[in-house]
Structure formats: C-alpha cells, structure tokens
Amino acid sequence: LVLSCILIASPCCAKGSRAADEREAGLFAVQHGGIQEAMQHFHKAIELNPKYAEAYADRGSLHMHLKQYEKAVDDFSKAISLDPNCYRAYEFRGFSYCMLAKYPKAVADLTSAISFAPDNAQAYANRAAAYENMGKKELAQKDRRKLEELGTNPQARRLCGQGRFRLHRGEMQNALKYFERAIQAHKDYKWSYYWRAKTYMKLGRYSEALADCNRILELNAQDADGYGLKASVNFEKENFKEALDSANKAVQFASHNPAAYELRARIFRTLGQYDKAIADYTSSLALNPSNAEARLQRAKVHTRTGQDALALSDLTRLIDDDQKDAGLLIERAAVYAKLGKHAQSIRDLNRAIALRPQDEYAFLLRGDTQFELGHFNEAASDYTTAITLDKNNESFYLRKRAHALKKLGNDLQAQSDITRADELERRSTRGRRSSKTRR
C-alpha cells in the first residue's frame, strides 16, 4: 500500500510581524520549488517567534517532504504543544509515524486529524494503510469504504474544501458563501451542512447551526457526525441536557470512535458527573491508547475527585511520552504538592521552568512548595519572579511574598508589600467603578 502525502501549508494566523513575514516568504519559496530557501525562512520565523505553531508545522512539512521523518515528528509535536487545534500537524505527524513504522501512534494522530475534519480523505487513506500494516483488516476496509463515500460529489466536495480553507483562516463570511455554493451543487452532500454548521457555531448563530445538524440527520437518522456536532452546539449554548442526549446518540452510532466518548465525557464533567466522565475517557483510551488529550483530561478529573494516585499514573505516562512538555510537568508537580511530596514537586517544577522560564504559575507553585518546606528565602525569590512575569496579579503575589518575608523576620519589607498590594487593589476597584459609571 502506498502512503501518499501532499505538502500543504497551513493558513497564517499572525499577520504583520517579522516572523509572519519570514513565514510568508517561506510559503512563497515552497510554491516556486525552493525547498532549502523555504527551510531557511521557516527557521528564521521560529527564531523570531519560538511560539509560532504554524511555522513549526510548515518546517515539519518540509522535513517530511525531504523524508526526514524524525525531524518532522519533532516539529509537528512542537506545533501541537503550542496549538492543540493544529489539525494538519496531527495529520502530517500521523503520516510521518507511518513512514517510521510506528503504526499505533500513526493511527492515534490520524484519528485526531479526522476528529477535526471528518471529511479528510487523505487521513482516512493513510489510516487505512496503518491499520493494514497492523493486521487490522476490518478497520482498514471500513476506512476504504469511507473513502468511497467521500469520493462522491466532486464539485460539492471541492467547494466545501474551499470553504474549510477560509474557515481555518478565520474568513467566516467567505466560508459561508462556499458552503452555500456546495449545497447548491449537491443538496444531499452532508459535509457542506456539517462545515456550515461549524461556521455558524463559531459565529454564535446557534439556531442556524442546529438547523444544519438536523438537515444532516434528515439525510441519515443514524449519522454519528451529525449527532456529535449537534451535541457540541448545544454544549456551547449551555443546553446540557440536549447536548447529552445527542452525545449519547453519537456514541450509540459510532461506538468505535474515541472522539464520541471524549465529547460525552466533557459534558458529564460539566454536569459534575465525574465517574461517568472518567468512564468515557477510559473508553476513549481503550480505543486509542495514544490519545494524549483524553489521558490528560482523565488525569484532571482524577485530581478533581481526589484520586491523586490515578492522576499521577496518567500524568507520568504522558511525561514518559514527552519529556519536554512543561505543562505536563507543572500538572504533575501540583499533584505531588497536594500529596505532600514536595521534593518530587520541586524536581518537576525545576524541569518545567528550565523549559518554560516565563511561566508565572510554575514560579508561584514552586514558591508555595518551598514555603511548605520552610525554605522562605527561596519562596520569596520565586514570588518576586512571579510578580515580574504577571503584573495583572501583582497584589496576589505581593501578599504571598509578604507572608514569606514575615517568616524571615523582615517585617518592614513585608508591611511594604502589603501596603503596595492594598493600593493596587484600591486602584483596581476604583477603575471598575469608573468603568460602570461610563457605561
């Protein structure tokens, strides 16, 4: 079986900066066959803005094009860590994993890509090939049947693809025009309604979004995609009962789809039904053990319900898979701190801060942990760094530092911090009152 791939750049989301200019120059070079020149521009864009997810995805695409699959995986992983909604990074990382013969990871990523774009024919083709190599012939055949379904209505599909491209660029009104043209081309092509409903949802036009969901269900009363989208719209409207009803249908008609369980888990979690949320995350992970997002969310629910040992187990597995994810290290550090395992907490926070030195919460949490250990100088130092990094919450950190300074016997500096915090809070209160008066 042939795994095919097309180098496609994702839309730019950061106009007007030097990094964006470098990225645009890279995209122009790609279009004219200048791969090495494009690589240099993407390198420069990342140097100028190390948090530029699209530039990492673009550079990863070039590595993939050059068959440098390990480097591609690194770049796509970075793009996803910066922007978990970068669906092309999942798709291309999945392809790269296929080429590295890491088929379970490929399936996990391609499944994520399909959950973002259920009409992504290329992702289905690559996942079918991965399943075939894993010996899962029935699942491979199911994906091929889906490909046959997507191959119908070429004009509607082309117009729908144009609309999706504009939707991902944030051009909502232009996207709607393409979806409407796709519907005119073929009134029974469900994906036109699906993506138009997604666009309406982003615009807050929920009634129109629900009407398109209902149209999908008129075409097929057992369409799990339609029920899943209807659940999402009702969730956004905070109609949780209706959202749960639709999510139940999505699970009923797509019990093989981990995304259906994740969606229902999110609803259960919002309703405070944590045991059911955990059960659904567990079902999702049984279908897709490499699903990092489902494992992270299950860990958070475990923490919320006091099941800290289970939370640690999930977080440790995630960290074992990605040693450079500062967010995961901070999550685990918080659980360690809650359990009174301060040395382990500080170890994780030291690693997180080395990876992400601008994260004020990491300094706050390390300061709190140092305080619990009686290391008041270290605590005061971390609170000072948090003040520098997060001026919006300066009064909160000042009070924290004052507490540490008091423990050190530095009452004068502690009182100075408290006075400063009081003044900042009075200014904030006056500002809110003034704003209300103007309104």
Side-chain angles (χ1 to χ4, degrees):
L1 294 172
V2 177
L3 291 168
S4 57
C5 175
I6 302 172
L7 179 64
I8 304 175
S10 57
C12 181
C13 301
K15 301 288 187 186
S17 69
R18 285 179 59 203
D21 291 343
E22 287 291 342
R23 178 174 180 261
E24 290 292 341
L27 297 178
F28 181 83
V30 169
Q31 291 168 1
H32 292 82
I35 300 299
Q36 293 304 325
E37 180 186 350
M39 186 75 79
Q40 291 173 8
H41 284 299
F42 295 146
H43 279 318
K44 186 64 176 177
I46 290 166
E47 285 178 9
L48 291 167
N49 181 3
K51 295 185 177 181
Y52 201 170
E54 294 89 347
Y56 283 104
D58 294 331
R59 190 174 70 178
S61 297
L62 290 186
H63 284 311
M64 187 174 65
H65 180 74
L66 295 169
K67 300 183 179 180
Q68 299 168 348
Y69 297 116
E70 293 283 4
K71 289 182 178 180
V73 165
D74 288 344
D75 273 348
F76 295 136
S77 297
K78 184 66 175 179
I80 290 166
S81 72
L82 292 168
D83 179 10
N85 294 315
C86 188
Y87 79 94
R88 285 203 180 278
Y90 290 101
E91 180 186 350
F92 291 166
R93 189 173 69 175
F95 174 82
S96 299
Y97 278 138
C98 279
M99 301 308 293
L100 292 167
K102 296 181 178 180
Y103 300 116
K105 288 187 174 183
V107 166
D109 274 350
L110 293 165
T111 299
S112 294
I114 289 166
S115 72
F116 282 108
D119 58 342
N120 186 335
Q122 192 62 58
Y124 280 109
N126 289 337
R127 191 173 70 173
Y131 278 139
E132 188 76 27
N133 281 286
M134 293 169 69
K136 298 185 175 183
K137 297 186 183 299
E138 289 185 9
L139 291 172
Q141 188 56 36
K142 190 168 187 175
D143 276 353
R144 290 195 189 92
R145 287 197 295 270
K146 190 71 175 181
L147 275 171
E148 290 174 7
E149 174 193 324
L150 290 171
T152 59
N153 314 315
Q155 184 182 5
R157 187 164 172 247
R158 180 181 60 78
L159 290 165
C160 199
Q162 291 286 337
R164 272 177 48 200
F165 177 75
R166 280 151 183 81
L167 172 61
H168 290 299
R169 286 179 65 98
E171 299 172 7
M172 306 296 185
Q173 297 305 324
N174 280 337
L176 287 175
K177 290 176 183 177
Y178 275 99
F179 298 138
E180 285 157 11
R181 286 176 61 192
I183 290 167
Q184 290 169 8
H186 198 295
K187 64 182 179 60
D188 292 338
Y189 185 58
K190 86 165 189 181
W191 297 109
S192 305
Y193 298 102
Y194 180 93
W195 287 104
R196 188 171 70 173
K198 282 243 181 187
T199 309
Y200 282 143
M201 185 167 67
K202 285 180 178 291
L203 291 168
R205 294 163 62 175
Y206 299 121
S207 296
E208 290 159 291
L210 286 172
D212 276 349
C213 293
N214 290 332
R215 174 59 181 152
I216 293 170
L217 297 172
E218 286 173 11
L219 294 170
N220 178 2
Q222 297 185 0
D223 192 297
D225 297 314
Y227 280 114
L229 186 53
K230 188 173 182 179
S232 296
V233 176
N234 276 311
F235 184 86
E236 290 295 317
K237 289 184 68 180
E238 300 185 359
N239 292 339
F240 299 122
K241 181 181 181 301
E242 292 85 346
L244 184 56
D245 288 344
S246 293
N248 285 334
K249 290 284 190 181
V251 170
Q252 177 185 345
F253 296 124
S255 58
H256 60 283
N257 185 354
Y261 292 99
E262 282 183 74
L263 172 60
R264 191 171 67 176
R266 187 157 59 105
I267 298 167
F268 280 137
R269 189 174 171 184
T270 303
L271 293 171
Q273 298 180 31
Y274 300 118
D275 288 346
K276 291 182 178 179
I278 289 170
D280 271 353
Y281 284 129
T282 302
S283 294
S284 177
L285 287 164
L287 292 163
N288 183 5
S290 300
N291 188 335
E293 183 61 24
R295 195 171 297 280
L296 174 60
Q297 295 308 320
R298 187 175 71 173
K300 289 182 176 181
V301 180
H302 281 319
T303 302
R304 178 70 178 267
T305 56
Q307 300 177 70
D308 297 311
L310 293 172
L312 279 178
S313 176
D314 275 341
L315 290 167
T316 298
R317 175 160 175 176
L318 289 166
I319 290 166
D320 287 344
D321 288 341
D322 187 354
Q323 298 282 335
K324 295 183 179 180
D325 191 318
L328 291 175
L329 289 163
I330 293 169
E331 288 279 351
R332 189 171 70 175
V335 178
Y336 276 138
K338 184 180 173 185
L339 292 170
K341 296 183 176 182
H342 301 306
Q344 293 95 321
S345 179
I346 287 177
R347 180 192 64 202
D348 276 355
L349 289 166
N350 288 342
R351 289 171 62 190
I353 288 168
L355 291 165
R356 204 158 73 192
Q358 302 301 311
D359 193 307
E360 69 279 358
Y361 180 66
F363 284 100
L364 170 64
L365 186 54
R366 191 172 70 175
D368 288 346
T369 306
Q370 297 282 18
F371 189 95
E372 289 297 320
L373 289 169
H375 302 161
F376 303 121
N377 270 318
E378 291 85 349
S381 176
D382 277 342
Y383 295 142
T384 299
T385 304
I387 290 168
T388 303
L389 293 172
D390 184 12
K391 289 295 185 182
N392 290 330
N393 293 296
E394 184 177 357
S395 64
F396 173 74
Y397 303 126
L398 283 167
R399 295 190 188 282
K400 287 272 188 181
R401 187 172 69 179
H403 197 189
L405 291 168
K406 279 187 177 181
K407 291 289 186 180
L408 291 166
N410 193 341
D411 293 338
L412 186 63
Q413 182 60 49
Q415 187 55 51
S416 174
D417 278 357
I418 292 169
T419 301
R420 172 68 176 161
D422 289 342
E423 175 58 26
L424 288 169
E425 287 167 7
R426 281 194 295 270
R427 287 184 194 172
S428 177
T429 301
R430 286 198 298 269
R432 287 195 297 269
R433 288 174 181 165
S434 175
S435 176
K436 287 180 181 178
T437 301
R438 286 196 298 273
R439 285 200 295 268

